[in-house]
Amino acid sequence: MNQTNLFPYSGRSFVVNYGKGLVFRNTYAGDGTTVTAEFLEGPQTGAKMTVPFQWTALEGGSYLLSWQEEDKSTVVHCDNFEAKTTRSFYTMMDGSFYVMSGTISE
């Protein structure tokens, strides 16, 4: 976690598309402390949650982002906002584990 600097994409929203009806809008709060994830497609369309997140900058313009959802599932993203790419690792409470790749747009 980078506590001394503001997340460079704070105050902005991005559509994260993994295909197959799995599309979210991630909105990073202006103060850089929370992300609001909103389902844009699929059976949970319209569902939203706002949770604290952590981030660190990686080489090559990528950012490692992580948070725990309200149901205690965990999410880790490796996002490159300039290259418009995302790779995500998602562990659900039942132990199901997903590795996903997708695109990012504003």
Side-chain angles (χ1 to χ4, degrees):
M1 179 167 65
N2 190 335
Q3 295 180 343
T4 60
N5 296 317
L6 186 64
F7 180 56
Y9 295 93
S10 293
R12 293 172 67 182
S13 292
F14 298 90
V15 174
V16 182
N17 187 336
Y18 298 107
K20 299 181 184 176
L22 191 55
V23 181
F24 301 91
R25 177 179 295 115
N26 288 342
T27 302
Y28 299 94
D31 67 3
T33 62
T34 60
V35 59
T36 298
E38 178 184 2
F39 288 83
L40 298 179
E41 289 184 20
Q44 291 185 294
T45 298
K48 248 188 224 194
M49 71 183 86
T50 300
V51 294
F53 79 104
Q54 295 80 43
W55 68 277
T56 192
L58 302 175
E59 290 184 28
S62 292
Y63 291 85
L64 194 61
L65 307 158
S66 63
W67 61 85
Q68 189 170 46
E69 296 186 340
E70 292 170 347
D71 69 357
K72 304 300 182 206
S73 298
T74 59
V75 178
V76 177
H77 280 221
C78 184
D79 290 348
N80 188 311
F81 297 95
E82 301 306 315
K84 301 182 182 341
T85 60
T86 182
R87 184 147 175 98
S88 300
F89 303 88
Y90 180 67
T91 304
M92 296 179 67
M93 285 303 299
D94 67 4
S96 301
F97 180 69
Y98 299 90
V99 178
M100 303 170 285
S101 294
T103 60
I104 300 171
S105 60
E106 212 162 344

